[in-house]
Amino acid sequence: MDAGIVKQQEVAEGYFRLTVFAPAVAVAAKPGQFLHMRCGDTLDPLLRRPISIHAVNRDKGEVALLYKVVGKGTALLAQKGKGDQVNLLGPLGKGFTLPERNEKVCVVAGGIGIAPLFCLLQELTARNHSAAVFLGAATGSQLLCAGEMERCGHIVHIATDDGSAGFPGTVTGLFEKTITPGSSSVDRVYACGPRRMLKRLCEIIRLEGIPGEVSVEERMGCGVGACLSCACKTRGEGNGVAYKRVCMEGPVFPVGEVVWE
Amino acid sequence: MDAGIVKQQEVAEGYFRLTVFAPAVAVAAKPGQFLHMRCGDTLDPLLRRPISIHAVNRDKGEVALLYKVVGKGTALLAQKGKGDQVNLLGPLGKGFTLPERNEKVCVVAGGIGIAPLFCLLQELTARNHSAAVFLGAATGSQLLCAGEMERCGHIVHIATDDGSAGFPGTVTGLFEKTITPGSSSVDRVYACGPRRMLKRLCEIIRLEGIPGEVSVEERMGCGVGACLSCACKTRGEGNGVAYKRVCMEGPVFPVGEVVWE
Amino acid sequence: MSNAGVKVKNRPNLSVNIGGIHMKNPVATASGTFGYGPEYAPYIDLNRLGAIVVKGTTLEPRAGNPAPRLVETPAGILNSIGLQNPGVDRFIEEYLPYLAGYDLPVIVNIAGDTVEHYAILAGKLDRAHGVSGIEVNISCPNVKKGGMQFGSDPVMAAEVTRAVKGNTEKPVIVKLSPNVTSIVAVAKKVAEAGADALSMINTLLGMAIDIKTRRPVLGNVMGGLAGPSVRPVAVRAVWQVYREVDLPIIGMGGIMAAGDALEFVLAGAAAVAVGSANFVNPCATMDVLEGIEKYMIENEIQDISELVGAAQRFSL
Amino acid sequence: MSNAGVKVKNRPNLSVNIGGIHMKNPVATASGTFGYGPEYAPYIDLNRLGAIVVKGTTLEPRAGNPAPRLVETPAGILNSIGLQNPGVDRFIEEYLPYLAGYDLPVIVNIAGDTVEHYAILAGKLDRAHGVSGIEVNISCPNVKKGGMQFGSDPVMAAEVTRAVKGNTEKPVIVKLSPNVTSIVAVAKKVAEAGADALSMINTLLGMAIDIKTRRPVLGNVMGGLAGPSVRPVAVRAVWQVYREVDLPIIGMGGIMAAGDALEFVLAGAAAVAVGSANFVNPCATMDVLEGIEKYMIENEIQDISELVGAAQRFSL
Ligand SMILES: Cc1cc2nc3c(=O)[nH]c(=O)nc-3n(C[C@H](O)[C@H](O)[C@H](O)COP(=O)(O)OP(=O)(O)OC[C@H]3O[C@@H](n4cnc5c(N)ncnc54)[C@H](O)[C@@H]3O)c2cc1C
Ligand SMILES: Cc1cc2nc3c(=O)[nH]c(=O)nc-3n(C[C@H](O)[C@H](O)[C@H](O)COP(=O)(O)OP(=O)(O)OC[C@H]3O[C@@H](n4cnc5c(N)ncnc54)[C@H](O)[C@@H]3O)c2cc1C
Ligand SMILES: Cc1cc2nc3c(=O)[nH]c(=O)nc-3n(C[C@H](O)[C@H](O)[C@H](O)COP(=O)(O)O)c2cc1C
Ligand SMILES: Cc1cc2nc3c(=O)[nH]c(=O)nc-3n(C[C@H](O)[C@H](O)[C@H](O)COP(=O)(O)O)c2cc1C
Ligand code: FES
Ligand code: FES
């Protein structure tokens, strides 16, 4: 479907927030799901690009995306402005499982990984549920959404690789340092970020026996489960491994399911 | 080189006039030469598109192009607007040989063929030389530049295929009907238009023994003479034929040189 | 073209017969790009397809190749899925029944490590309810054993064809690889061995390297190139085979729109399959179908067969 | 990579030796896409090129194929120039002297109808002043006789190679066709026959049909596909040949930018040639060169040879 662009803003250098008018998507969207976006009109780039649903405004029928320009698809998307149309499919994929009312929730985001997690936090806010957010970025200027999350009542812990803001180091380092080992200070973790970060985080929380979910990325073809491109290695039945489709069975997987390599 | 777009106007449905700021081109351009334009930024479309120099304003450093949207290259070009940049090479090719001061000049244009001929007429105007212009189009709304040419003192004869304006029929039909056979009412003819039209026109003027030049089209690769894609069959030495490069030896050829098939 | 000049009053006839498979129109899906049907049911009415060709099926279940399995290339897609599939038995039990609910020919794409595998697969599918035809994949570049090796050698290709034909009454379509010196030579041998139809082309063997990591991008190193980038190669293959081999051809490779499909038909394809285009536009098959019909009406073509191979008339 | 970790202080070494031809950098032009030099002299300093490979040259002058000779395809170019050229004698007399004014290796691409033609061409160029090497084109899809036929058959390819080698002391590069079942098989035979280097790939055989006229677009029906669309096929060819044949490779096919060139180098090409990209950007060769140098500096590579085939280390 084609959706009209309501707003496009560069929120930090190379990071854009795109708001489209897509009431059907806004109604159906669940945190963790994604849209499959056509970034240009010609055969180059050819494929759609998956972008997580970042925020939803059901009243206005608006859906927001937060993305980083990394290649030609996202660069073309960033050229579009208010009034332009953009073609999208979705919402696609399986979202996050929402926590129980009384659970202590931690959200761990590395870089642009905050994109889908913000949508989850938005949902938690609506349920008067606040979370501890661990937000990491390469540098202070790339810490996205921190203020907005705090205003919604979430507690935001910050880490930057270059130490320009908050804890100097990785967000997993900060998380590890902050949670009290062995205690039940965390009931559930949601995470999204670079593969290395997710891998490390999963090690930590499995040691602590904390359940959680991660949103993973893989290169996609169809986005609808037909092409088997987006294979994610997971623990299968028995002790075997099986490839699951990030676009259908994911992008959100239980922490224990993903086989990191 | 990149040139800034000063103006882009849809002058008739599907026909655009694009003005760019390109002082070096404006100074060097000769009527009949062309620019090799990059229409998009991605690999599709891949190649540049040749477009004739339509008008030149040396004082302002501006060059205008007149083009018809026929495929994806021209469609992309038409999407650009004031302030955008467009990459171009040129001026390329060999232009028209200008007439002697006292020659009676006829200009015959079919459809978008008026594009390069207008530039020639502009040059004639600058020399106080007026021409008889035969302007053909499918329908009245596609008769381009007629008013402007009249204002410059040229006499414009009109033909439309559907008879909605001027002579009902082809522009070659009108030309044949108008010139007096055997007389010396025409000293020199310049023409541009569809291949079929040029072929017919060349037959007529060769019968009458009138010299002239035609601007022909061929699919181009490099535009600079390196790839030999733009072959035009011409009468070679002796009685043989030889392929000449439209981008180098053309696009303007003497009437007798082109072998029409 | 006896009807030239006569205005077409009725809707043109788009139905075709591909080696015994009746298709209500010439637009099929390409194996591996359309799953097993349900994936695209939210987007199009599957009943409007000429045929569905399902993902490559093997004797045993296959896990497929390691990620990444896909990388975009200029106007193309390089993939190395590696025939991930549940195996023929689970396919018949769990996936095939869904399609029984639809009124469209189901063509099952099969791949084996050995000639015998192909024969067994053919036998199992022969007995399965709801299979209209078998597409023999001797051209998959993404598996270690079998696959493209069979398709690269005319003699082996013929052997596989005979083995399949010997075990089924159902129409057999052999899918050819473009990674050969002469696709005509392979096609001829396959025709002699009894194939009912040919489909072409499977993907071109290719690869991409990530200059940051300095490694091949695909987990499996090499992959198969598909998409609009390969269309000129595919149209050429159809053109060459049409003139030498008297079997219906299903043409594919980079069909994004109706005009592309018509290129294949004019070159000699009796039907076409839409592959990667589904990823870009989930309604691509329907857009192609409607575009072909529109072209026929505008050009007063009453039967699609008038167009098949029509460009050959002007050839050297 | 003994220098890993050590900051590169001097500019990296980009010079390469291709079978005896010393190139100051690995960026050459692809035959047929760069004319004879003067065409691009207004845009770049020819002296900065690693080498120039001129248009395919034949014994007698050739008029070339009828128009249209070129059609754009998705991210590609289909051409059927048909080796239009003034013939070797006029080439030597009229075109070669221009390049003598420059300090760069001139490689002459030759094509013949028969093995003997190749031999005679080699002899004439051996005696010509200012020729640094001969590129043997046994892979042109656009001529009726010879051309790709020689390149499709390993035995014939070897025969042509031997004939050329027998008639010249100059380095001989054999240009391979991708339109074969096994490019490695051809490369091996050509290497045995004494080739000093290989270049790959020439164009893929393809065609396009105009659905309005219902005819092939190209005047010569079929043509050769080049441009970014074919890059995955070309990189794969270089990758395969590098592992099996011990000759320097000039890689080409769809190089538009430095990153593309580096893909070829990492796959195993010791040098690269820029073809169709010149049409899009007349400074493409210089942009590629500068980009390679930048990559080397950023990655602390002191000599381009460290990168040649580097991706092979991670292969299966
Ligand atoms: C389910 C899902 C949700 C996503 N949500 C977001 C989001 O909300 N915001 C956001 O900014 N990004 C998101 N991404 C990532 C986004 O899809 C890619 O950044 C985008 O496709 C890159 O397109 P491009 O054309 O700009 O870059 P390309 O030119 O395609 O690639 C640029 C670089 O990234 C690499 N690359 C491209 N795609 C992938 C991939 N899928 N995995 C690993 N490497 C890759 C390429 O090799 C290349 O080096 C998501 C991805 C998935 C799978
Ligand atoms: C020297 C020269 C000067 C020109 N000047 C002008 C001008 O001033 N104004 C203008 O509107 N056009 C001009 N043209 C034509 C213009 O270059 C083409 O219309 C343009 O390249 C089409 O690009 P596209 O991407 O829009 O269409 P495409 O998608 O490339 O093609 C659309 C249709 O046109 C056909 N086609 C494309 N190029 C050619 C060709 N060169 N010859 C024959 N058929 C072709 C295609 O087969 C297709 O059917 C000129 C051409 C030449 C060679
Ligand atoms: C992701 C993907 C998976 C494929 N899987 C199969 C397969 O299982 N069996 C098969 O015969 N062809 C397979 N193919 C090849 C397609 O059926 C088709 O021949 C090829 O993609 C060319 O068509 P296209 O350019 O329209 O995609 C696959 C192609 C793609 C892109
Ligand atoms: C217009 C054109 C003309 C060509 N002429 C020749 C030729 O004369 N001899 C030859 O060996 N290759 C010729 N080629 C092939 C190129 O040298 C090169 O192998 C091919 O185009 C792939 O590189 P590219 O994708 O960078 O263009 C030609 C290619 C094009 C596009
Ligand atoms: S992207 Fe096609 S199955 Fe997931
Ligand atoms: S377009 Fe390349 S020679 Fe004319």
Side-chain angles (χ1 to χ4, degrees), chain D residues 152-260:
Chain D
S152 306
D153 178 354
V155 178
M156 291 284 274
E159 207 181 307
V160 172
T161 307
R162 260 189 302 271
V164 171
K165 278 298 286 182
N167 265 2
T168 180
E169 303 278 289
K170 291 187 172 152
V172 171
I173 305 159
V174 178
K175 184 160 179 181
L176 304 181
S177 168
N179 302 296
V180 293
T181 307
S182 168
I183 195 165
V184 172
V186 181
K188 279 185 177 165
K189 286 285 173 204
V190 162
E192 278 170 35
D196 300 295
L198 301 171
S199 63
M200 66 188 70
I201 59 171
N202 208 320
T203 53
L204 280 162
L205 192 61
M207 76 181 286
I209 292 173
D210 185 328
I211 65 164
K212 285 195 210 94
T213 60
R214 293 183 211 156
R215 297 173 182 242
V217 176
L218 295 176
N220 202 42
V221 181
M222 288 190 253
L225 184 64
S229 53
V230 310
R231 192 168 65 234
V233 173
V235 171
R236 180 267 297 171
V238 170
W239 172 275
Q240 290 180 315
V241 171
Y242 178 81
R243 5 183 71 199
E244 308 269 350
V245 181
D246 192 23
L247 282 183
I249 297 170
I250 307 179
M252 74 197 78
I255 295 176
M256 304 302 287
D260 307 336

Side-chain angles (χ1 to χ4, degrees), chain A residues 49-50 52 66-68 71 73-74 112 115 217-219, chain C residues 212:
Chain A
R49 301 292 191 258
S52 302
L66 181 72
Y67 64 95
K68 182 181 172 184
T74 45
I112 189 69
E217 292 190 4
E218 199 41 76
R219 286 159 201 263
Chain C
K212 285 194 211 94

